Amino acid sequence: MGNPQFSDFVSIRDFSKQQISLVLKRAKQMLPYASGERKIRPLDGKILGTLFYEPSTRTRLSFESAMLRLGGTVMGFSSPMGTSIEKGENLSDTIRVTESYADILVIRHPLEGAARLAADVSSKPVINAGDGAGQHPTQTILDLFTMLESKERLEGLNVVILGDLKFGRTVHSLSEALATFGANLTFVAPPSLEMPREVIAEIESKGIKPKYATALEDAVREADILYVTRIQKERFADATEYAKVAGSYRIDSRLLSQGKSTLSVMHPLPRINEISPEVDSTPHSLYFKQAANGIPVRMAILSMLMGAEF
Amino acid sequence: MLKILGVTGENIKSTISVAMRVRSKKEEWKDIVKIEDRELDTREVNRIALIAPRATINIIRDYNVAEKTKVQLPRVVKGIVKCANPNCVTNSNEPVETSFDVVNERPLTLKCHFCERIQSRVEKYIV
């Protein structure tokens, strides 16, 4: 085992463009191993501890699959039920205990900053799998990887980001990372769910001036990627208001016909009704490929944190 | 300032003098707080630096200025400011001291080490 390339994976803001590019390159190397076409066991005998304080399907299962594909094993919990947390144990103590049972930890927690706290407490590498409305850096890397694999570039790519831009944790770090790589950004959001001022300031500090659109038809015309996020019902006090907003952003074949033939639609999933099922079988659909890319990307991150050499 | 120094009216055991809008050569005018029989610790000085980054602290012994120091804003502010984000892990029951990077001195802007929330209007959150 060589030296780890990073100590933790908590926030996309911790990484330079060069470091992100290295992860993307490693993810590309992982593709044949992620699909099971070739076998590899650099993490044989190593244990991944999965501490999921919140529900997760894709993130948790893809981390487990990634660790198993690297020859390691997995232990952990997918809900605090039945653990010492229910008895009132704090996060710091849970980390101190579980780090002695595992070689690397992945954590999802409802509080922002929980993964940073875990990383500060733990001497073992910690990966943030989502902390409240904060960061979800491995999702960002897999989104970048999916765009790069599909379009073969990030610089100059026209990316439209649609939906709940205020509370959606994936869109903040993705927008910042895309700005780092020189992509052009257009935001489309209901008035109450616009991109926070500090995220826009961060994007502008990288020399990218995002555009804002209200009509989706106009926004998709020049887009290479349409990144759709779920409008979260719980953010609306009034059910009628939610229905109005959610219904106004439905992606279907009619809308996509307004854009380029190469326009790709991405979504971190789960989707509710933002994307019509008729899009699934069209060449525009990239979201299932995006979910599948969770494996090579998380294999890359696990292997780099553990110092596995390739 | 008096609140930060813990001078609330109930616990005063020595003479406190406050002078406001005193003419100043360097700053046009200044306010002065004089507290007898008291020397400030680092934590108190850091608190003062947050709301009065150009303040000067004079220690007077035997009627003479024994020490004269300008407060200096630390690069990392630990344990004296509460995070404005109610969903930040530092606002839960975790045994953790708050920590902020100073991203801008004027206007004072802090970034939470944990949740990364950018915070201005710092005086509201001094503990």
Side-chain angles (χ1 to χ4, degrees), chain B residues 13-73:
Chain B
K13 292 187 179 68
S14 57
T15 308
I16 310 231
S17 315
V18 177
M20 297 180 79
R21 286 200 83 86
V22 177
R23 280 193 183 281
S24 163
K25 282 180 199 159
K26 285 183 193 159
E27 303 280 351
E28 194 178 344
W29 61 268
K30 62 187 174 188
D31 296 337
I32 299 172
V33 178
K34 185 181 154 205
I35 308 175
E36 290 185 17
D37 306 324
R38 169 97 178 258
E39 287 197 22
L40 303 172
D41 60 28
T42 315
R43 205 177 162 89
E44 287 173 312
V45 173
N46 285 343
R47 277 203 189 110
I48 292 170
L50 289 175
I51 58 162
R54 286 179 289 169
T56 304
I57 298 174
N58 293 328
I59 308 282
I60 298 169
R61 291 191 193 106
D62 300 328
Y63 309 103
N64 291 313
V65 177
E67 286 172 42
K68 183 168 184 167
T69 49
K70 281 198 168 290
V71 299
Q72 207 170 11
L73 200 58

Side-chain angles (χ1 to χ4, degrees), chain A residues 81-97:
Chain A
M81 275 171 67
T83 70
S84 293
I85 299 149
E86 272 208 322
K87 297 174 192 161
E89 183 175 66
N90 64 39
L91 174 64
S92 309
D93 284 359
T94 304
I95 297 298
R96 283 188 190 102
V97 171

Side-chain angles (χ1 to χ4, degrees), chain B:
Chain B
M1 184 66 77
L2 291 175
K3 194 176 151 197
I4 282 174
L5 291 169
V7 180
T8 56
E10 293 158 8
N11 58 348
I12 298 172
K13 292 187 179 68
S14 57
T15 308
I16 310 231
S17 315
V18 177
M20 297 180 79
R21 286 200 83 86
V22 177
R23 280 193 183 281
S24 163
K25 282 180 199 159
K26 285 183 193 159
E27 303 280 351
E28 194 178 344
W29 61 268
K30 62 187 174 188
D31 296 337
I32 299 172
V33 178
K34 185 181 154 205
I35 308 175
E36 290 185 17
D37 306 324
R38 169 97 178 258
E39 287 197 22
L40 303 172
D41 60 28
T42 315
R43 205 177 162 89
E44 287 173 312
V45 173
N46 285 343
R47 277 203 189 110
I48 292 170
L50 289 175
I51 58 162
R54 286 179 289 169
T56 304
I57 298 174
N58 293 328
I59 308 282
I60 298 169
R61 291 191 193 106
D62 300 328
Y63 309 103
N64 291 313
V65 177
E67 286 172 42
K68 183 168 184 167
T69 49
K70 281 198 168 290
V71 299
Q72 207 170 11
L73 200 58
R75 289 177 67 188
V76 177
V77 175
K78 277 183 182 284
I80 53 175
V81 177
K82 189 176 179 298
C83 184
N85 174 8
N87 208 36
C88 176
V89 72
T90 58
N91 287 321
S92 68
N93 63 348
E94 290 299 322
V96 58
E97 188 177 49
T98 62
S99 179
F100 296 86
D101 292 327
V102 176
V103 290
N104 200 4
E105 289 196 12
R106 281 192 204 178
L108 181 60
T109 313
L110 305 178
K111 183 174 144 193
C112 176
H113 165 72
F114 295 96
C115 73
E116 302 183 349
R117 175 79 66 93
I118 300 285
Q119 186 163 330
S120 47
R121 297 173 66 199
V122 173
E123 65 285 352
K124 257 182 81 180
Y125 297 96
I126 295 175
V127 289

Side-chain angles (χ1 to χ4, degrees), chain A residues 6-295:
Chain A
F6 314 114
S7 53
D8 299 290
F9 214 86
V10 172
S11 166
I12 201 75
R13 291 172 180 164
D14 296 341
F15 302 99
S16 66
K17 185 179 174 181
Q18 288 71 21
Q19 288 173 314
I20 295 172
S21 298
L22 278 178
V23 182
L24 295 170
K25 193 176 159 201
R26 175 69 68 93
K28 175 102 178 159
Q29 286 176 304
M30 289 295 168
L31 281 169
Y33 305 105
S35 64
E37 185 190 325
R38 288 164 71 180
K39 302 270 185 276
I40 195 172
R41 298 189 64 80
L43 299 188
D44 189 16
K46 300 291 181 192
I47 301 171
L48 169 70
T50 56
L51 317 179
F52 279 73
Y53 290 74
E54 277 195 322
S56 165
T57 309
R58 274 157 302 281
T59 307
R60 186 171 59 82
L61 292 181
S62 65
F63 263 113
E64 290 184 7
S65 173
M67 190 62 179
L68 297 171
R69 293 277 195 210
L70 289 164
T73 49
V74 182
M75 54 133 230
F77 54 83
S78 55
S79 133
M81 275 171 67
T83 70
S84 293
I85 299 149
E86 272 208 322
K87 297 174 192 161
E89 183 175 66
N90 64 39
L91 174 64
S92 309
D93 284 359
T94 304
I95 297 298
R96 283 188 190 102
V97 171
T98 50
E99 73 162 335
S100 61
Y101 303 158
D103 300 289
I104 181 166
L105 300 172
V106 55
I107 178 170
R108 170 169 287 187
H109 198 279
L111 293 175
E112 284 127 51
R116 181 73 70 194
L117 174 63
D120 287 354
V121 168
S122 172
S123 59
K124 304 279 173 64
V126 170
I127 303 173
N128 184 3
D131 57 342
Q135 285 272 330
H136 192 359
T138 64
Q139 177 73 43
T140 303
I141 301 285
L142 85 83
D143 290 341
L144 292 177
F145 182 69
T146 304
M147 289 182 199
L148 194 57
E149 282 292 288
S150 168
K151 307 296 177 194
E152 296 176 339
R153 70 192 165 105
L154 293 173
E155 192 176 346
L157 208 61
N158 293 325
V159 182
V160 175
I161 303 183
L162 164 75
D164 176 0
L165 308 189
K166 186 174 180 183
F167 299 103
R169 65 183 156 207
T170 56
V171 292
H172 300 165
S173 40
L174 175 63
S175 304
E176 289 174 23
L178 281 168
T180 303
F181 282 89
N184 302 314
L185 299 170
T186 303
F187 298 135
V188 187
S192 55
L193 297 174
E194 287 164 342
M195 191 63 94
R197 172 175 62 84
E198 61 209 53
V199 179
I200 293 168
E202 187 74 28
I203 291 164
E204 289 182 343
S205 75
K206 296 171 195 295
I208 297 292
K209 188 101 184 123
K211 290 183 196 158
Y212 305 90
T214 42
L216 194 50
E217 287 78 5
D218 297 337
V220 298
R221 218 153 267 150
E222 293 304 314
D224 297 304
I225 299 280
L226 173 59
Y227 193 100
V228 187
T229 62
R230 183 166 64 94
I231 305 268
Q232 298 172 77
K233 197 174 182 176
E234 57 273 24
R235 305 295 181 199
F236 289 82
D238 182 349
T240 331
E241 196 58 30
Y242 161 75
K244 207 166 86 185
V245 171
S248 67
Y249 292 125
R250 191 169 162 83
I251 311 303
D252 54 21
S253 298
R254 190 200 57 79
L255 173 82
L256 295 173
S257 69
Q258 311 282 312
K260 296 180 188 176
S261 59
T262 53
L263 170 64
S264 296
V265 180
M266 292 175 66
H267 192 303
L269 303 176
R271 65 173 158 175
I272 306 301
N273 51 15
E274 307 85 50
I275 303 174
S276 165
E278 70 187 21
V279 180
D280 296 358
S281 55
T282 71
H284 297 297
S285 152
L286 197 54
Y287 31 92
F288 292 121
K289 178 79 185 154
Q290 180 187 359
N293 282 337
I295 308 290

